[in-house]
Amino acid sequence: MEQSGTPLTEINFDGIVGPSHNYAGLSLGNIASASHAGDPSYPRAAALQGVAKMRGNLARLGVQGFLLPLPRPNGALQSALALDGTEPPQLRAAPWSASSMWTANAATVSPAPDTADGRCHLTPANLVTMLHRAQEWPDTQAQLRIAFGDTRHFAIHDAVPPTFGDEGAANHMRLCEEHGAPGVEVFVYGKPGGRFPARQHEQASRLVARTHGLDPARTVFIEQNPEAIAAGAFHNDVVSVANGRVLFTHAEAFADQQGAYDAIRAAFPALEVVEVPSSAVSLEEAIRTYLFNAQLLTLPSGEMALIVPEECRESPAVWGWVEQMLAGNGPIRQVIPVDVKQSMANGGGPACLRLRVVCDPATVDPRFLLDEAKADLLERVIAAHWPLQIDPSDIGTQTLADSVIAARLALLEALDLAQLG
Ligand code: SUG
């Protein structure tokens, strides 16, 4: 950013894991969510893992933001569902979901250099495919309106109308020479008809691009590989991630892999593809370890680092490929594992937990920006108020409701954000 003299930089806004974090098996097509259904969860450990990840990136990048857990249990949804104890447990669990922690699904973000009016545009994701996620967007929007409330620099839209499913930044990538320069935005959608839902609808992606005022010459729409969705890549960010000039992708991410590279390269000739072949890491192993659900960061030195889940180091196939890649001279020079196991067990890796916003940090409400002292504060509040453990039988009880409501209010209070209460 210094080279160009622009104050625009990339800020990762991580979702603080909410006090109701639990495993209810709510996401059809998300293998981790299904396989951990009914397990006890550890909200305090989950939230502390998230803060530790943020601390690492704050030290690496010098800037880090966060978004807050949404109000749970959601009383309005509970009433609308007419719960009387005869309903299936998954319906009862939906109003309790802490799924807003995965802020890659909070919104799609188009930075100012890409948009017609020179503002950074954010569209909250409607998340209509899953009941427990569809409740998020109005509260997410309320929070975005505070964090990015400076309308000279930001435009916050309404979510895409149903029935076009929109899952936000998880299906959106940006290629650029540097964050503050005009970029090429790549939207990845799925076609329905497979064994699992295709959560991102092509028309939702196109609508977001139009709303944001993107230049059609610098906007690319690509179909996700139906086989990747069938294997459990319910979002494209489970099989590819982009940063700067680099697209880091599994060889089976897109319906037409070569066609996808060609389309991106036509709009962005400097594209560098780092492709992992299926012979090195199968689609299944990529999805199990979340190698691609990584944060691909440009460090102040100019080098790129990949922040991956610990699970990658434990996989001989994945780590073997990583070591081979590092021994070469590709653009990714460091691979750094982090422990986000509590989130991973619900299908959320390091990249799911963050929303990237390219902007001038001075234009963001500082209450949403992290420094070391605030990380200490977050840890203290979490350690004092977050439940240690939630068992499936706790969901729906007044005791747990009282404790998660009080925990969130303690956090809002500590951050001077009681207005979100
Ligand atoms: O929408 N899991 C989330 C995981 C989201 C991951 N985000 C990205 N790939 N960007 C989902 O499937 C599980 C909740 C439960 O089963 O209790 C869940 O919602």
Side-chain angles (χ1 to χ4, degrees):
M1 83 179 181
E2 269 142 43
Q3 289 152 335
S4 67
T6 150
L8 300 186
T9 190
E10 179 180 279
I11 311 179
N12 289 281
F13 287 84
D14 280 40
I16 295 174
V17 178
S20 67
H21 160 64
N22 71 91
Y23 300 118
L26 300 181
S27 277
L28 176 66
N30 171 339
I31 311 281
S33 153
S35 61
H36 289 276
D39 285 359
S41 65
Y42 300 94
R44 192 177 302 177
L48 293 175
Q49 286 168 2
V51 177
K53 169 167 105 72
M54 284 200 276
R55 270 191 197 277
N57 286 338
L58 176 64
R60 275 173 210 114
L61 303 170
V63 62
Q64 174 70 46
F66 54 84
L67 295 174
L68 303 177
L70 304 184
R72 297 289 177 267
N74 177 346
L77 182 61
Q78 277 182 316
S79 314
L81 292 173
L83 305 174
D84 65 1
T86 60
E87 67 282 342
Q90 285 164 329
L91 211 55
R92 196 175 318 137
W96 291 75
S97 179
S99 52
S100 67
M101 72 173 85
W102 299 297
T103 50
N105 308 115
T108 305
V109 183
S110 295
D114 300 354
T115 68
D117 69 0
R119 293 189 296 167
C120 176
H121 286 245
L122 297 95
T123 295
N126 64 23
L127 297 164
V128 292
T129 306
M130 304 277 162
L131 173 66
H132 70 289
R133 303 224 59 181
Q135 65 183 319
E136 290 175 34
W137 85 260
D139 290 317
T140 297
Q141 185 190 46
Q143 201 169 154
L144 297 177
R145 281 195 171 134
I146 299 174
F148 309 106
D150 185 340
T151 53
R152 289 168 306 168
H153 299 283
F154 298 100
I156 316 284
H157 300 279
D158 284 341
V160 170
T163 59
F164 303 124
D166 177 25
E167 303 262 332
N171 298 305
H172 174 255
M173 303 186 284
R174 180 169 187 260
L175 294 145
C176 55
E177 291 293 347
E178 55 181 358
H179 295 309
V184 166
E185 299 198 15
V186 180
F187 293 79
V188 186
Y189 59 86
K191 284 198 178 145
R195 71 176 178 131
F196 291 144
R199 299 208 212 169
Q200 183 72 35
H201 195 292
E202 178 180 358
Q203 292 311 322
S205 299
R206 291 186 182 276
L207 195 158
V208 169
R210 291 196 298 275
T211 305
H212 289 192
L214 300 183
D215 176 354
R218 291 191 286 115
T219 310
V220 182
F221 298 92
I222 288 175
E223 189 195 338
Q224 211 188 339
N225 181 1
E227 281 165 35
I229 300 176
F234 54 93
H235 292 137
N236 175 65
D237 70 358
V238 174
V239 282
S240 48
V241 60
N243 176 57
R245 296 176 169 193
V246 176
L247 170 64
F248 175 52
T249 181
H250 191 271
E252 296 179 70
F254 309 117
D256 172 3
Q257 196 77 16
Q258 194 53 50
Y261 300 156
D262 292 346
I264 300 172
R265 201 165 270 126
F268 187 76
L271 176 70
E272 285 181 55
V273 177
V274 178
E275 183 189 88
V276 181
S278 307
S279 56
V281 179
S282 67
L283 203 44
E284 288 66 28
E285 189 66 354
I287 291 167
R288 193 184 68 75
T289 59
Y290 265 37
L291 169 63
F292 299 93
N293 198 262
Q295 288 184 262
L296 185 54
L297 304 173
T298 304
L299 303 175
S301 65
E303 271 190 0
M304 280 197 201
L306 192 68
I307 313 296
V308 299
E310 283 281 1
E311 284 76 355
C312 290
R313 186 157 50 186
E314 291 153 16
S315 159
V318 168
W319 208 246
W321 183 86
V322 163
E323 285 181 333
Q324 191 192 319
M325 188 241 343
L326 289 174
N329 58 1
I332 303 172
R333 299 314 321 145
Q334 296 182 36
V335 178
I336 302 167
V338 291
D339 177 6
V340 287
K341 285 201 163 57
Q342 282 291 306
S343 168
M344 282 286 285
N346 247 340
C352 298
L353 285 161
R354 62 91 178 92
L355 181 68
R356 293 182 283 188
V357 182
V358 170
C359 63
D360 175 354
T363 61
V364 177
D365 186 316
R367 291 174 293 179
F368 294 87
L369 295 176
L370 193 73
D371 56 24
E372 286 296 335
K374 216 183 275 184
D376 293 345
L377 175 66
L378 292 179
E379 285 173 348
R380 280 199 303 275
V381 174
I382 291 163
H385 296 280
W386 261 231
L388 269 177
Q389 179 171 339
I390 295 181
D391 293 315
S393 58
D394 298 327
I395 301 295
T397 64
Q398 194 55 47
T399 314
L400 184 62
D402 291 344
S403 108
V404 302
I405 291 167
R408 178 171 173 276
L409 290 180
L411 180 68
L412 299 187
E413 207 56 41
L415 296 171
D416 192 22
L417 278 161
Q419 69 200 97
L420 282 167

Short mmCIF file of all heavy atoms in Angstrom, two decimals, residues 22-27 30 33 97 99 102 104-105 132-133 167 170 199 234-235 237-238 290 293 346-348 351-352, ligand 1:
data_model
loop_
_atom_site.label_atom_id
_atom_site.label_comp_id
_atom_site.label_asym_id
_atom_site.label_seq_id
_atom_site.Cartn_x
_atom_site.Cartn_y
_atom_site.Cartn_z
N ASN A 22 -22.49 -24.72 18.93
CA ASN A 22 -22.89 -26.11 19.20
C ASN A 22 -22.92 -26.91 17.90
O ASN A 22 -22.85 -26.34 16.81
CB ASN A 22 -24.26 -26.13 19.89
CG ASN A 22 -25.38 -25.73 18.95
OD1 ASN A 22 -26.00 -26.56 18.28
ND2 ASN A 22 -25.65 -24.42 18.85
N TYR A 23 -23.02 -28.22 18.06
CA TYR A 23 -23.00 -29.12 16.91
C TYR A 23 -24.37 -29.77 16.74
O TYR A 23 -24.68 -30.77 17.40
CB TYR A 23 -21.93 -30.19 17.08
CG TYR A 23 -20.54 -29.62 17.23
CD1 TYR A 23 -19.80 -29.82 18.39
CD2 TYR A 23 -19.98 -28.86 16.20
CE1 TYR A 23 -18.52 -29.28 18.52
CE2 TYR A 23 -18.71 -28.31 16.33
CZ TYR A 23 -17.99 -28.52 17.49
OH TYR A 23 -16.74 -27.99 17.63
N ALA A 24 -25.20 -29.19 15.87
CA ALA A 24 -26.56 -29.71 15.71
C ALA A 24 -26.77 -30.37 14.35
O ALA A 24 -27.87 -30.81 14.04
CB ALA A 24 -27.57 -28.59 15.92
N GLY A 25 -25.72 -30.44 13.55
CA GLY A 25 -25.84 -31.13 12.26
C GLY A 25 -26.83 -30.46 11.33
O GLY A 25 -27.63 -31.11 10.66
N LEU A 26 -26.73 -29.13 11.24
CA LEU A 26 -27.77 -28.38 10.52
C LEU A 26 -27.52 -28.21 9.03
O LEU A 26 -28.42 -27.80 8.30
CB LEU A 26 -27.93 -27.00 11.17
CG LEU A 26 -28.33 -26.99 12.65
CD1 LEU A 26 -28.48 -25.56 13.15
CD2 LEU A 26 -29.63 -27.77 12.87
N SER A 27 -26.29 -28.48 8.59
CA SER A 27 -25.94 -28.08 7.22
C SER A 27 -25.78 -29.28 6.30
O SER A 27 -24.70 -29.86 6.19
CB SER A 27 -24.63 -27.28 7.23
OG SER A 27 -24.89 -25.94 7.54
N ASN A 30 -22.53 -30.33 4.20
CA ASN A 30 -21.33 -29.94 4.93
C ASN A 30 -20.94 -31.17 5.76
O ASN A 30 -21.59 -31.48 6.76
CB ASN A 30 -21.67 -28.72 5.80
CG ASN A 30 -20.57 -28.33 6.79
OD1 ASN A 30 -19.72 -29.12 7.13
ND2 ASN A 30 -20.65 -27.09 7.26
N SER A 33 -20.13 -30.82 9.57
CA SER A 33 -21.33 -30.52 10.38
C SER A 33 -22.13 -31.80 10.60
O SER A 33 -22.56 -32.10 11.71
CB SER A 33 -22.18 -29.46 9.67
OG SER A 33 -23.55 -29.55 10.00
N SER A 97 -28.12 -21.24 16.65
CA SER A 97 -26.87 -21.43 15.93
C SER A 97 -25.93 -20.23 16.07
O SER A 97 -26.34 -19.08 15.97
CB SER A 97 -27.14 -21.67 14.44
OG SER A 97 -25.90 -21.83 13.77
N SER A 99 -23.69 -19.67 13.92
CA SER A 99 -23.08 -19.72 12.58
C SER A 99 -22.60 -18.37 12.05
O SER A 99 -21.83 -18.34 11.08
CB SER A 99 -24.06 -20.35 11.58
OG SER A 99 -25.31 -19.69 11.64
N TRP A 102 -18.85 -17.48 10.99
CA TRP A 102 -18.20 -17.66 9.69
C TRP A 102 -18.48 -16.42 8.84
O TRP A 102 -19.37 -16.41 7.99
CB TRP A 102 -18.67 -18.96 9.05
CG TRP A 102 -18.29 -20.12 9.93
CD1 TRP A 102 -17.01 -20.52 10.26
CD2 TRP A 102 -19.17 -21.00 10.63
NE1 TRP A 102 -17.06 -21.59 11.12
CE2 TRP A 102 -18.36 -21.92 11.37
CE3 TRP A 102 -20.55 -21.13 10.72
CZ2 TRP A 102 -18.90 -22.92 12.16
CZ3 TRP A 102 -21.09 -22.13 11.51
CH2 TRP A 102 -20.26 -23.01 12.22
N ALA A 104 -17.03 -15.10 6.45
CA ALA A 104 -16.89 -15.18 4.99
C ALA A 104 -18.26 -15.27 4.34
O ALA A 104 -18.40 -15.04 3.14
CB ALA A 104 -16.04 -16.38 4.59
N ASN A 105 -19.28 -15.61 5.15
CA ASN A 105 -20.65 -15.66 4.65
C ASN A 105 -21.48 -14.46 5.12
O ASN A 105 -22.70 -14.45 4.96
CB ASN A 105 -21.34 -16.95 5.11
CG ASN A 105 -20.55 -18.19 4.78
OD1 ASN A 105 -20.11 -18.89 5.68
ND2 ASN A 105 -20.32 -18.44 3.52
N HIS A 132 -31.02 -22.10 9.61
CA HIS A 132 -30.25 -21.52 10.72
C HIS A 132 -29.37 -20.37 10.27
O HIS A 132 -28.95 -19.55 11.07
CB HIS A 132 -29.43 -22.59 11.43
CG HIS A 132 -28.28 -23.14 10.63
ND1 HIS A 132 -28.43 -23.95 9.53
CD2 HIS A 132 -26.94 -22.98 10.77
CE1 HIS A 132 -27.25 -24.27 9.04
NE2 HIS A 132 -26.32 -23.70 9.76
N ARG A 133 -29.10 -20.31 8.95
CA ARG A 133 -28.26 -19.23 8.43
C ARG A 133 -29.11 -18.09 7.87
O ARG A 133 -28.68 -16.94 7.85
CB ARG A 133 -27.28 -19.78 7.39
CG ARG A 133 -26.41 -20.92 7.97
CD ARG A 133 -24.97 -20.81 7.59
NE ARG A 133 -24.38 -19.57 8.04
CZ ARG A 133 -23.13 -19.20 7.82
NH1 ARG A 133 -22.34 -20.00 7.14
NH2 ARG A 133 -22.65 -18.06 8.26
N GLU A 167 -24.37 -16.63 -0.66
CA GLU A 167 -23.60 -17.02 0.53
C GLU A 167 -22.38 -16.13 0.73
O GLU A 167 -21.45 -16.46 1.46
CB GLU A 167 -23.24 -18.51 0.45
CG GLU A 167 -24.46 -19.41 0.29
CD GLU A 167 -24.99 -20.06 1.57
OE1 GLU A 167 -24.23 -20.29 2.51
OE2 GLU A 167 -26.21 -20.35 1.62
N ALA A 170 -17.67 -16.13 0.49
CA ALA A 170 -17.17 -17.51 0.36
C ALA A 170 -17.19 -17.97 -1.10
O ALA A 170 -16.51 -18.94 -1.45
CB ALA A 170 -18.01 -18.45 1.21
N ARG A 199 -25.55 -23.80 -3.03
CA ARG A 199 -26.04 -22.68 -2.21
C ARG A 199 -25.93 -21.31 -2.88
O ARG A 199 -26.61 -20.37 -2.50
CB ARG A 199 -25.27 -22.64 -0.89
CG ARG A 199 -25.41 -23.89 -0.04
CD ARG A 199 -25.22 -23.48 1.41
NE ARG A 199 -24.61 -24.51 2.22
CZ ARG A 199 -24.17 -24.29 3.46
NH1 ARG A 199 -24.23 -23.08 3.98
NH2 ARG A 199 -23.65 -25.26 4.16
N PHE A 234 -19.35 -27.17 -0.11
CA PHE A 234 -20.63 -26.43 -0.13
C PHE A 234 -20.42 -24.95 -0.42
O PHE A 234 -21.38 -24.25 -0.75
CB PHE A 234 -21.40 -26.64 1.18
CG PHE A 234 -20.59 -26.32 2.39
CD1 PHE A 234 -20.65 -25.06 2.96
CD2 PHE A 234 -19.74 -27.26 2.95
CE1 PHE A 234 -19.89 -24.74 4.07
CE2 PHE A 234 -18.96 -26.95 4.06
CZ PHE A 234 -19.03 -25.70 4.62
N HIS A 235 -19.20 -24.48 -0.27
CA HIS A 235 -18.82 -23.13 -0.73
C HIS A 235 -17.55 -23.27 -1.56
O HIS A 235 -16.71 -24.12 -1.27
CB HIS A 235 -18.52 -22.20 0.46
CG HIS A 235 -19.71 -21.85 1.29
ND1 HIS A 235 -19.68 -21.82 2.66
CD2 HIS A 235 -20.97 -21.48 0.93
CE1 HIS A 235 -20.87 -21.47 3.13
NE2 HIS A 235 -21.67 -21.26 2.11
N ASP A 237 -14.98 -21.54 -1.37
CA ASP A 237 -13.75 -21.30 -0.59
C ASP A 237 -13.26 -22.56 0.13
O ASP A 237 -12.28 -22.52 0.85
CB ASP A 237 -13.91 -20.11 0.37
CG ASP A 237 -14.85 -20.37 1.55
OD1 ASP A 237 -15.43 -21.46 1.64
OD2 ASP A 237 -14.99 -19.45 2.38
N VAL A 238 -13.95 -23.67 -0.08
CA VAL A 238 -13.45 -24.95 0.44
C VAL A 238 -12.46 -25.55 -0.57
O VAL A 238 -11.67 -26.42 -0.22
CB VAL A 238 -14.65 -25.89 0.73
CG1 VAL A 238 -14.19 -27.29 1.12
CG2 VAL A 238 -15.55 -25.31 1.82
N TYR A 290 -9.32 -29.11 4.65
CA TYR A 290 -9.55 -27.68 4.39
C TYR A 290 -8.27 -26.94 3.98
O TYR A 290 -8.07 -25.77 4.35
CB TYR A 290 -10.20 -27.01 5.61
CG TYR A 290 -11.72 -26.95 5.52
CD1 TYR A 290 -12.45 -27.99 4.96
CD2 TYR A 290 -12.44 -25.85 5.99
CE1 TYR A 290 -13.83 -27.94 4.88
CE2 TYR A 290 -13.82 -25.79 5.90
CZ TYR A 290 -14.51 -26.84 5.35
OH TYR A 290 -15.87 -26.77 5.26
N ASN A 293 -9.27 -23.79 2.44
CA ASN A 293 -10.00 -22.82 3.28
C ASN A 293 -8.98 -22.10 4.15
O ASN A 293 -9.04 -22.09 5.38
CB ASN A 293 -11.07 -23.51 4.11
CG ASN A 293 -12.08 -22.49 4.60
OD1 ASN A 293 -12.01 -22.02 5.72
ND2 ASN A 293 -12.98 -22.08 3.72
N ASN A 346 -17.47 -27.99 12.56
CA ASN A 346 -18.73 -27.56 11.94
C ASN A 346 -18.51 -27.10 10.50
O ASN A 346 -19.36 -26.45 9.89
CB ASN A 346 -19.36 -26.42 12.76
CG ASN A 346 -20.67 -26.85 13.42
OD1 ASN A 346 -21.28 -27.83 13.00
ND2 ASN A 346 -21.09 -26.11 14.43
N GLY A 347 -17.33 -27.41 9.96
CA GLY A 347 -17.07 -27.09 8.56
C GLY A 347 -16.58 -25.69 8.31
O GLY A 347 -16.75 -25.14 7.21
N GLY A 348 -15.94 -25.08 9.32
CA GLY A 348 -15.44 -23.71 9.14
C GLY A 348 -13.95 -23.61 9.42
O GLY A 348 -13.51 -23.77 10.55
N ALA A 351 -10.35 -19.50 6.71
CA ALA A 351 -10.91 -18.53 5.76
C ALA A 351 -12.39 -18.28 5.99
O ALA A 351 -12.89 -17.17 5.77
CB ALA A 351 -10.67 -18.99 4.33
N CYS A 352 -13.11 -19.31 6.47
CA CYS A 352 -14.55 -19.10 6.77
C CYS A 352 -14.72 -18.08 7.87
O CYS A 352 -15.73 -17.38 7.92
CB CYS A 352 -15.19 -20.39 7.26
SG CYS A 352 -15.17 -21.73 6.09
O1 SUG B 1 -22.83 -22.78 6.51
N1 SUG B 1 -21.62 -24.60 9.24
C1 SUG B 1 -21.42 -23.56 8.27
C2 SUG B 1 -19.97 -23.49 7.86
C3 SUG B 1 -19.70 -22.27 7.03
C4 SUG B 1 -18.33 -22.27 6.44
N2 SUG B 1 -18.09 -21.10 5.72
C5 SUG B 1 -17.36 -21.02 4.60
N3 SUG B 1 -17.05 -22.03 3.88
N4 SUG B 1 -17.04 -19.82 4.17
C6 SUG B 1 -22.32 -23.76 7.05
O2 SUG B 1 -22.48 -24.92 6.64
C7 SUG B 1 -22.92 -25.86 10.87
C8 SUG B 1 -23.92 -25.57 11.94
C9 SUG B 1 -24.42 -26.81 12.63
O3 SUG B 1 -24.46 -27.87 12.02
O4 SUG B 1 -24.78 -26.72 13.83
C10 SUG B 1 -22.76 -24.70 9.91
O5 SUG B 1 -23.67 -23.90 9.77
#
